[in-house]
Amino acid sequence: MLLNHISAIPIVEFRIDPWSHVMIKEYEKLFQYFGIRPFNEVVDDLKSVVTPHPLMVRGVIFGHRDFNNIVNALKNREKFAIVTGLMPSGKMHFGHKMLIDQIIYYQRLGAEIFLIVADIEAYSVRRINRKEAIEIALYDYIANYIALGLTKSNLHLYFQSNYHPKYYRLIQMISRKLTLAELRAAYGEDLEVGKIVSVITQIADILHPQLKDFGGFKDVLVPVGPDQDPHLRLTRDVAQRFEGELGLKPPASTYHRFMSGLDGGKMSSSRPESYIALDEDPQSASQKLMKAFTGGRATAEEQRRLGGEPEKCVVYEFYAYHLIPDDSELSKVYYECRSGSILCGECKLRACEMLVKFLLDHLTKREKAIDKVYDYVEVPDF
Ligand code: TRP
Ligand code: SF4
């Protein structure tokens, strides 16, 4: 039986909460219950048009909905848009970097980019004060985006609190298209007004690029972590409810694995031991990486005999997600680990060396980028 329709979801058994800190380990459930498709089924088709992003080939981007629409847009040289965002709360770390790397990839492919500073969500759900959210957004997140290579071409970078009037009109109109029962089914009984506002704001983030004033219909892709999928499912429903009225179509989406925390658990801005920030000083970054959980064995003897388990290793994640762009170089590390020919100590030292090199280079770029943030975004005045 197909379980990909919203009414068939066993909600009590498995619900994703975008605002909690739980790990979504059981990615298969997303396929089973929610109709997300494995990304590998579209990779070859994408390869026939463009070079896929390494995160796609490596299984880090593991799932999608309707990605075929985007491949077709690329094939037919039709315009398409990317919409995604981050909340300015806590430091921007390597877990967030994956998302911006994808944005930059699509920007280079010619996509129109809508990149959102989710300051209203940070205010209403995370209770971060306005001044702090604005400063974090400008001097940490946006400075990093620029340093990573985001350019102004085809870019709409905006704060949710400070955008075009028609975006706000759409938010108001979305209020008629959802029931409280649907929202409770998606987000639980302890629904707060702030969550509702954040959700309809996010739905408008995703749908507004199709409005006439923003260039009219185009395929839209939303790259996110799987925690955001409840928002996407609602957005798809809302799009259909606007089909006749505004001609909106459901967006496509992709889902990437979260990075593991350095201390086990999830990588989370609320625990500095769990992440490395993009502006972390190299010494503290190395210390954290040297202490990180690995897929190593209890003793050196055992590891030489059995080999390590890169699949369970945070250091390997750093290699695969960030530090080694070249596929053959990455598989060399993989086999050295698997065969037990390298031990974790030496492997970590290598990773640190690459990480420090990246950080030093990034810090220089960030310094230059900080002067440019005001060219990229209009800043809300309170
Ligand atoms: N909710 C997202 C987060 O928690 C941020 C966000 C806001 C977003 N608007 C969006 C993500 C639109 C994707 C698309 O980080
Ligand atoms: Fe991880 Fe490297 Fe140890 Fe393998 S050898 S488990 S990749 S740290």
Side-chain angles (χ1 to χ4, degrees):
M1 191 177 65
L2 266 177
L3 281 179
N4 65 358
H5 188 268
I6 193 125
S7 61
I9 297 166
I11 286 174
V12 201
E13 256 181 69
F14 187 68
R15 182 198 282 124
I16 305 170
D17 179 352
W19 294 292
S20 82
H21 292 275
V22 290
M23 272 206 269
I24 301 181
K25 269 242 160 94
E26 302 162 87
Y27 293 114
E28 309 83 58
K29 284 195 177 165
L30 298 169
F31 300 143
Q32 229 184 312
Y33 295 148
F34 297 125
I36 292 178
R37 306 286 315 163
F39 195 79
N40 59 21
E41 74 180 18
V42 291
V43 170
D44 284 340
D45 208 14
L46 181 65
K47 267 187 198 152
S48 71
V49 215
V50 294
T51 310
H53 193 279
L55 294 172
M56 296 170 170
V57 185
R58 296 174 180 187
V60 181
I61 296 169
F62 67 90
H64 79 98
R65 292 178 194 276
D66 288 347
F67 190 77
N68 317 62
N69 294 351
I70 302 304
V71 178
N72 287 335
L74 280 163
K75 277 187 186 160
N76 305 328
R77 299 176 180 277
E78 285 159 5
K79 59 181 179 177
F80 67 103
I82 306 295
V83 180
T84 194
L86 286 171
M87 239 194 288
S89 73
K91 295 239 70 154
M92 180 171 168
H93 55 60
F94 278 80
H96 301 123
K97 173 178 172 286
M98 289 191 276
L99 184 65
I100 303 306
D101 288 341
Q102 293 174 59
I103 293 295
I104 293 167
Y105 166 81
Y106 290 116
Q107 186 175 47
R108 290 178 183 160
L109 289 180
E112 191 166 349
I113 308 292
F114 294 81
L115 183 52
I116 292 120
V117 180
D119 64 326
I120 287 306
E121 188 178 356
Y123 181 83
S124 299
V125 181
R126 283 283 154 76
R127 299 184 172 268
I128 303 200
N129 79 49
R130 295 287 302 149
K131 192 162 171 278
E132 195 185 337
I134 293 169
E135 278 176 8
I136 295 175
L138 291 173
Y139 307 121
D140 194 35
Y141 284 68
I142 296 174
N144 283 324
Y145 299 171
I146 302 170
L148 290 170
L150 187 76
T151 70
K152 288 202 302 190
S153 117
N154 281 328
L155 176 69
H156 312 258
L157 171 56
Y158 67 89
F159 284 78
Q160 285 177 324
S161 64
N162 197 43
Y163 198 40
H164 296 283
K166 286 181 191 181
Y167 161 81
Y168 298 100
R169 189 176 307 159
L170 186 59
I171 295 176
Q172 292 159 348
M173 288 170 73
I174 290 167
S175 69
R176 196 178 97 180
K177 305 287 176 179
L178 287 163
T179 66
L180 273 177
E182 280 176 306
L183 292 169
R184 287 204 186 98
Y187 304 107
E189 293 298 322
D190 59 340
L191 200 58
E192 299 149 19
V193 179
K195 286 187 180 173
I196 300 180
V197 169
S198 301
V199 168
I200 62 178
T201 304
Q202 180 155 348
I203 295 175
D205 287 332
I206 299 172
L207 295 178
H208 85 275
Q210 299 180 53
L211 293 175
K212 212 167 67 234
D213 290 271
F214 296 89
F217 174 75
K218 58 184 91 44
D219 283 295
V220 171
L221 170 70
V222 188
V224 278
D227 62 323
Q228 298 296 303
D229 192 53
H231 304 319
L232 276 145
R233 290 197 299 273
L234 281 180
T235 305
R236 293 168 69 84
D237 290 344
V238 169
Q240 276 160 352
R241 293 168 197 173
F242 273 123
E243 175 138 37
E245 206 174 340
L246 296 173
L248 303 183
K249 300 248 169 31
S253 46
T254 60
Y255 303 90
H256 55 261
R257 286 171 195 276
F258 293 121
M259 283 196 84
S260 312
L262 294 161
D263 57 348
K266 190 182 161 183
M267 186 173 283
S268 156
S269 331
S270 54
R271 279 180 301 115
E273 326 78 68
S274 75
Y275 65 77
I276 292 173
L278 286 180
D279 69 344
E280 187 121 2
D281 87 82
Q283 201 186 341
S284 121
S286 305
Q287 275 165 4
K288 285 186 187 176
L289 200 62
M290 286 308 286
K291 276 197 281 183
F293 272 60
T294 71
R297 307 283 176 176
T299 65
E301 182 279 321
E302 210 180 301
Q303 187 152 348
R304 288 217 172 79
R305 186 158 44 85
L306 300 171
E309 297 177 287
E311 298 82 1
K312 294 185 183 165
C313 178
V314 190
V315 178
Y316 190 77
E317 279 180 31
F318 267 86
Y319 283 132
Y321 293 29
H322 302 290
L323 298 174
I324 307 186
D326 182 74
D327 287 337
S328 59
E329 202 187 319
L330 184 68
S331 40
K332 208 171 131 232
V333 175
Y334 182 89
Y335 288 109
E336 278 177 344
C337 170
R338 278 259 133 218
S339 65
S341 64
I342 190 169
L343 299 184
C344 294
E346 187 188 343
C347 185
K348 281 173 160 178
L349 281 174
R350 276 196 211 162
C352 282
E353 207 176 299
M354 293 181 198
L355 179 66
V356 167
K357 196 161 162 259
F358 172 87
L359 287 172
L360 288 174
D361 177 55
H362 186 73
L363 283 173
T364 322
K365 291 179 177 157
R366 252 182 72 98
E367 259 159 46
K368 292 199 193 115
I370 286 193
D371 299 332
K372 295 195 200 140
V373 294
Y374 295 99
D375 302 339
Y376 275 70
V377 75
E378 202 181 292
V379 186
D381 58 356
F382 71 92

PDB file of all heavy atoms in Angstrom, residues 319-340:
ATOM      1  N   TYR A 319      35.400  15.434   6.111  1.00  0.00           N
ATOM      2  CA  TYR A 319      36.044  15.188   4.816  1.00  0.00           C
ATOM      3  C   TYR A 319      35.005  15.205   3.685  1.00  0.00           C
ATOM      4  O   TYR A 319      35.159  15.885   2.685  1.00  0.00           O
ATOM      5  CB  TYR A 319      36.698  13.806   4.801  1.00  0.00           C
ATOM      6  CG  TYR A 319      38.011  13.672   5.527  1.00  0.00           C
ATOM      7  CD1 TYR A 319      38.211  12.610   6.416  1.00  0.00           C
ATOM      8  CD2 TYR A 319      39.058  14.552   5.298  1.00  0.00           C
ATOM      9  CE1 TYR A 319      39.424  12.438   7.067  1.00  0.00           C
ATOM     10  CE2 TYR A 319      40.270  14.386   5.955  1.00  0.00           C
ATOM     11  CZ  TYR A 319      40.448  13.334   6.833  1.00  0.00           C
ATOM     12  OH  TYR A 319      41.648  13.161   7.467  1.00  0.00           O
ATOM     13  N   ALA A 320      33.959  14.400   3.880  1.00  0.00           N
ATOM     14  CA  ALA A 320      33.015  14.159   2.782  1.00  0.00           C
ATOM     15  C   ALA A 320      32.130  15.370   2.500  1.00  0.00           C
ATOM     16  O   ALA A 320      31.773  15.641   1.364  1.00  0.00           O
ATOM     17  CB  ALA A 320      32.149  12.945   3.102  1.00  0.00           C
ATOM     18  N   TYR A 321      31.757  16.106   3.547  1.00  0.00           N
ATOM     19  CA  TYR A 321      30.834  17.228   3.366  1.00  0.00           C
ATOM     20  C   TYR A 321      31.566  18.518   2.998  1.00  0.00           C
ATOM     21  O   TYR A 321      30.999  19.392   2.380  1.00  0.00           O
ATOM     22  CB  TYR A 321      30.029  17.482   4.642  1.00  0.00           C
ATOM     23  CG  TYR A 321      29.044  16.409   5.065  1.00  0.00           C
ATOM     24  CD1 TYR A 321      29.220  15.073   4.764  1.00  0.00           C
ATOM     25  CD2 TYR A 321      27.905  16.751   5.801  1.00  0.00           C
ATOM     26  CE1 TYR A 321      28.323  14.108   5.179  1.00  0.00           C
ATOM     27  CE2 TYR A 321      26.989  15.788   6.216  1.00  0.00           C
ATOM     28  CZ  TYR A 321      27.214  14.468   5.910  1.00  0.00           C
ATOM     29  OH  TYR A 321      26.319  13.521   6.329  1.00  0.00           O
ATOM     30  N   HIS A 322      32.840  18.623   3.469  1.00  0.00           N
ATOM     31  CA  HIS A 322      33.490  19.936   3.339  1.00  0.00           C
ATOM     32  C   HIS A 322      34.930  19.951   2.851  1.00  0.00           C
ATOM     33  O   HIS A 322      35.325  20.880   2.168  1.00  0.00           O
ATOM     34  CB  HIS A 322      33.468  20.656   4.692  1.00  0.00           C
ATOM     35  CG  HIS A 322      32.104  20.855   5.256  1.00  0.00           C
ATOM     36  ND1 HIS A 322      31.206  21.736   4.703  1.00  0.00           N
ATOM     37  CD2 HIS A 322      31.469  20.255   6.283  1.00  0.00           C
ATOM     38  CE1 HIS A 322      30.068  21.692   5.399  1.00  0.00           C
ATOM     39  NE2 HIS A 322      30.206  20.792   6.352  1.00  0.00           N
ATOM     40  N   LEU A 323      35.722  18.990   3.282  1.00  0.00           N
ATOM     41  CA  LEU A 323      37.164  19.197   3.135  1.00  0.00           C
ATOM     42  C   LEU A 323      37.780  18.589   1.881  1.00  0.00           C
ATOM     43  O   LEU A 323      38.819  19.046   1.422  1.00  0.00           O
ATOM     44  CB  LEU A 323      37.907  18.683   4.383  1.00  0.00           C
ATOM     45  CG  LEU A 323      37.550  19.392   5.705  1.00  0.00           C
ATOM     46  CD1 LEU A 323      38.233  18.705   6.878  1.00  0.00           C
ATOM     47  CD2 LEU A 323      37.930  20.876   5.653  1.00  0.00           C
ATOM     48  N   ILE A 324      37.161  17.528   1.342  1.00  0.00           N
ATOM     49  CA  ILE A 324      37.765  16.874   0.171  1.00  0.00           C
ATOM     50  C   ILE A 324      36.806  16.893  -1.017  1.00  0.00           C
ATOM     51  O   ILE A 324      35.920  16.059  -1.114  1.00  0.00           O
ATOM     52  CB  ILE A 324      38.174  15.408   0.493  1.00  0.00           C
ATOM     53  CG1 ILE A 324      39.061  15.363   1.740  1.00  0.00           C
ATOM     54  CG2 ILE A 324      38.883  14.783  -0.701  1.00  0.00           C
ATOM     55  CD1 ILE A 324      39.632  13.986   2.056  1.00  0.00           C
ATOM     56  N   PRO A 325      36.952  17.873  -1.909  1.00  0.00           N
ATOM     57  CA  PRO A 325      36.038  17.944  -3.057  1.00  0.00           C
ATOM     58  C   PRO A 325      36.278  16.824  -4.079  1.00  0.00           C
ATOM     59  O   PRO A 325      35.355  16.420  -4.773  1.00  0.00           O
ATOM     60  CB  PRO A 325      36.340  19.314  -3.686  1.00  0.00           C
ATOM     61  CG  PRO A 325      37.637  19.763  -3.106  1.00  0.00           C
ATOM     62  CD  PRO A 325      37.881  19.013  -1.849  1.00  0.00           C
ATOM     63  N   ASP A 326      37.499  16.312  -4.122  1.00  0.00           N
ATOM     64  CA  ASP A 326      37.828  15.331  -5.158  1.00  0.00           C
ATOM     65  C   ASP A 326      37.377  13.917  -4.755  1.00  0.00           C
ATOM     66  O   ASP A 326      37.758  13.403  -3.707  1.00  0.00           O
ATOM     67  CB  ASP A 326      39.348  15.356  -5.378  1.00  0.00           C
ATOM     68  CG  ASP A 326      39.765  14.404  -6.478  1.00  0.00           C
ATOM     69  OD1 ASP A 326      39.519  14.746  -7.642  1.00  0.00           O
ATOM     70  OD2 ASP A 326      40.298  13.318  -6.160  1.00  0.00           O
ATOM     71  N   ASP A 327      36.571  13.277  -5.626  1.00  0.00           N
ATOM     72  CA  ASP A 327      35.995  11.974  -5.279  1.00  0.00           C
ATOM     73  C   ASP A 327      37.035  10.879  -5.082  1.00  0.00           C
ATOM     74  O   ASP A 327      36.918  10.059  -4.173  1.00  0.00           O
ATOM     75  CB  ASP A 327      34.983  11.531  -6.345  1.00  0.00           C
ATOM     76  CG  ASP A 327      33.691  12.325  -6.264  1.00  0.00           C
ATOM     77  OD1 ASP A 327      33.401  12.869  -5.172  1.00  0.00           O
ATOM     78  OD2 ASP A 327      32.982  12.409  -7.285  1.00  0.00           O
ATOM     79  N   SER A 328      38.063  10.880  -5.929  1.00  0.00           N
ATOM     80  CA  SER A 328      39.020   9.774  -5.793  1.00  0.00           C
ATOM     81  C   SER A 328      39.858   9.955  -4.531  1.00  0.00           C
ATOM     82  O   SER A 328      40.208   8.977  -3.864  1.00  0.00           O
ATOM     83  CB  SER A 328      39.903   9.647  -7.037  1.00  0.00           C
ATOM     84  OG  SER A 328      40.599  10.831  -7.247  1.00  0.00           O
ATOM     85  N   GLU A 329      40.124  11.208  -4.178  1.00  0.00           N
ATOM     86  CA  GLU A 329      40.862  11.447  -2.938  1.00  0.00           C
ATOM     87  C   GLU A 329      40.029  10.996  -1.730  1.00  0.00           C
ATOM     88  O   GLU A 329      40.533  10.413  -0.780  1.00  0.00           O
ATOM     89  CB  GLU A 329      41.207  12.934  -2.825  1.00  0.00           C
ATOM     90  CG  GLU A 329      42.381  13.215  -1.915  1.00  0.00           C
ATOM     91  CD  GLU A 329      42.581  14.710  -1.693  1.00  0.00           C
ATOM     92  OE1 GLU A 329      42.439  15.477  -2.673  1.00  0.00           O
ATOM     93  OE2 GLU A 329      42.850  15.110  -0.549  1.00  0.00           O
ATOM     94  N   LEU A 330      38.725  11.266  -1.824  1.00  0.00           N
ATOM     95  CA  LEU A 330      37.854  10.865  -0.724  1.00  0.00           C
ATOM     96  C   LEU A 330      37.785   9.343  -0.603  1.00  0.00           C
ATOM     97  O   LEU A 330      37.851   8.790   0.496  1.00  0.00           O
ATOM     98  CB  LEU A 330      36.440  11.443  -0.908  1.00  0.00           C
ATOM     99  CG  LEU A 330      35.481  11.164   0.248  1.00  0.00           C
ATOM    100  CD1 LEU A 330      35.881  11.905   1.513  1.00  0.00           C
ATOM    101  CD2 LEU A 330      34.045  11.522  -0.131  1.00  0.00           C
ATOM    102  N   SER A 331      37.690   8.649  -1.733  1.00  0.00           N
ATOM    103  CA  SER A 331      37.598   7.193  -1.593  1.00  0.00           C
ATOM    104  C   SER A 331      38.911   6.604  -1.098  1.00  0.00           C
ATOM    105  O   SER A 331      38.906   5.579  -0.426  1.00  0.00           O
ATOM    106  CB  SER A 331      37.099   6.484  -2.854  1.00  0.00           C
ATOM    107  OG  SER A 331      37.627   7.047  -3.981  1.00  0.00           O
ATOM    108  N   LYS A 332      40.014   7.283  -1.359  1.00  0.00           N
ATOM    109  CA  LYS A 332      41.276   6.810  -0.791  1.00  0.00           C
ATOM    110  C   LYS A 332      41.205   6.818   0.746  1.00  0.00           C
ATOM    111  O   LYS A 332      41.556   5.841   1.399  1.00  0.00           O
ATOM    112  CB  LYS A 332      42.421   7.709  -1.278  1.00  0.00           C
ATOM    113  CG  LYS A 332      43.750   7.003  -1.343  1.00  0.00           C
ATOM    114  CD  LYS A 332      44.821   7.844  -2.039  1.00  0.00           C
ATOM    115  CE  LYS A 332      46.072   7.871  -1.199  1.00  0.00           C
ATOM    116  NZ  LYS A 332      46.609   9.185  -0.923  1.00  0.00           N
ATOM    117  N   VAL A 333      40.724   7.939   1.287  1.00  0.00           N
ATOM    118  CA  VAL A 333      40.595   8.026   2.743  1.00  0.00           C
ATOM    119  C   VAL A 333      39.644   6.932   3.256  1.00  0.00           C
ATOM    120  O   VAL A 333      39.913   6.262   4.252  1.00  0.00           O
ATOM    121  CB  VAL A 333      40.062   9.414   3.174  1.00  0.00           C
ATOM    122  CG1 VAL A 333      39.812   9.462   4.672  1.00  0.00           C
ATOM    123  CG2 VAL A 333      41.023  10.510   2.761  1.00  0.00           C
ATOM    124  N   TYR A 334      38.557   6.749   2.532  1.00  0.00           N
ATOM    125  CA  TYR A 334      37.576   5.746   2.931  1.00  0.00           C
ATOM    126  C   TYR A 334      38.227   4.365   3.050  1.00  0.00           C
ATOM    127  O   TYR A 334      38.077   3.683   4.059  1.00  0.00           O
ATOM    128  CB  TYR A 334      36.429   5.709   1.916  1.00  0.00           C
ATOM    129  CG  TYR A 334      35.332   4.738   2.279  1.00  0.00           C
ATOM    130  CD1 TYR A 334      34.258   5.141   3.086  1.00  0.00           C
ATOM    131  CD2 TYR A 334      35.371   3.420   1.830  1.00  0.00           C
ATOM    132  CE1 TYR A 334      33.253   4.248   3.420  1.00  0.00           C
ATOM    133  CE2 TYR A 334      34.366   2.521   2.173  1.00  0.00           C
ATOM    134  CZ  TYR A 334      33.306   2.942   2.964  1.00  0.00           C
ATOM    135  OH  TYR A 334      32.326   2.055   3.304  1.00  0.00           O
ATOM    136  N   TYR A 335      38.979   3.981   2.019  1.00  0.00           N
ATOM    137  CA  TYR A 335      39.569   2.639   2.027  1.00  0.00           C
ATOM    138  C   TYR A 335      40.712   2.511   3.016  1.00  0.00           C
ATOM    139  O   TYR A 335      40.895   1.461   3.614  1.00  0.00           O
ATOM    140  CB  TYR A 335      39.946   2.204   0.607  1.00  0.00           C
ATOM    141  CG  TYR A 335      38.701   1.893  -0.175  1.00  0.00           C
ATOM    142  CD1 TYR A 335      38.257   2.719  -1.212  1.00  0.00           C
ATOM    143  CD2 TYR A 335      37.890   0.806   0.181  1.00  0.00           C
ATOM    144  CE1 TYR A 335      37.072   2.455  -1.903  1.00  0.00           C
ATOM    145  CE2 TYR A 335      36.706   0.532  -0.497  1.00  0.00           C
ATOM    146  CZ  TYR A 335      36.312   1.358  -1.534  1.00  0.00           C
ATOM    147  OH  TYR A 335      35.136   1.093  -2.190  1.00  0.00           O
ATOM    148  N   GLU A 336      41.459   3.593   3.200  1.00  0.00           N
ATOM    149  CA  GLU A 336      42.516   3.553   4.226  1.00  0.00           C
ATOM    150  C   GLU A 336      41.910   3.301   5.601  1.00  0.00           C
ATOM    151  O   GLU A 336      42.460   2.553   6.410  1.00  0.00           O
ATOM    152  CB  GLU A 336      43.278   4.882   4.257  1.00  0.00           C
ATOM    153  CG  GLU A 336      44.353   4.982   3.190  1.00  0.00           C
ATOM    154  CD  GLU A 336      45.047   6.340   3.205  1.00  0.00           C
ATOM    155  OE1 GLU A 336      44.509   7.288   3.809  1.00  0.00           O
ATOM    156  OE2 GLU A 336      46.126   6.435   2.619  1.00  0.00           O
ATOM    157  N   CYS A 337      40.777   3.941   5.840  1.00  0.00           N
ATOM    158  CA  CYS A 337      40.108   3.766   7.123  1.00  0.00           C
ATOM    159  C   CYS A 337      39.566   2.343   7.251  1.00  0.00           C
ATOM    160  O   CYS A 337      39.856   1.628   8.196  1.00  0.00           O
ATOM    161  CB  CYS A 337      38.984   4.795   7.264  1.00  0.00           C
ATOM    162  SG  CYS A 337      37.909   4.508   8.682  1.00  0.00           S
ATOM    163  N   ARG A 338      38.797   1.921   6.252  1.00  0.00           N
ATOM    164  CA  ARG A 338      38.166   0.589   6.232  1.00  0.00           C
ATOM    165  C   ARG A 338      39.187  -0.537   6.388  1.00  0.00           C
ATOM    166  O   ARG A 338      38.915  -1.552   7.009  1.00  0.00           O
ATOM    167  CB  ARG A 338      37.447   0.369   4.895  1.00  0.00           C
ATOM    168  CG  ARG A 338      36.085   0.968   4.811  1.00  0.00           C
ATOM    169  CD  ARG A 338      35.033  -0.095   5.013  1.00  0.00           C
ATOM    170  NE  ARG A 338      34.078   0.413   5.966  1.00  0.00           N
ATOM    171  CZ  ARG A 338      33.490  -0.314   6.905  1.00  0.00           C
ATOM    172  NH1 ARG A 338      33.738  -1.575   7.013  1.00  0.00           N
ATOM    173  NH2 ARG A 338      32.657   0.235   7.745  1.00  0.00           N
ATOM    174  N   SER A 339      40.343  -0.353   5.778  1.00  0.00           N
ATOM    175  CA  SER A 339      41.318  -1.440   5.773  1.00  0.00           C
ATOM    176  C   SER A 339      42.196  -1.421   7.024  1.00  0.00           C
ATOM    177  O   SER A 339      43.011  -2.311   7.220  1.00  0.00           O
ATOM    178  CB  SER A 339      42.211  -1.319   4.541  1.00  0.00           C
ATOM    179  OG  SER A 339      42.964  -0.114   4.656  1.00  0.00           O
ATOM    180  N   GLY A 340      42.036  -0.389   7.836  1.00  0.00           N
ATOM    181  CA  GLY A 340      42.852  -0.321   9.045  1.00  0.00           C
ATOM    182  C   GLY A 340      44.275   0.145   8.784  1.00  0.00           C
ATOM    183  O   GLY A 340      45.130   0.069   9.654  1.00  0.00           O
TER     184      GLY A 340
END
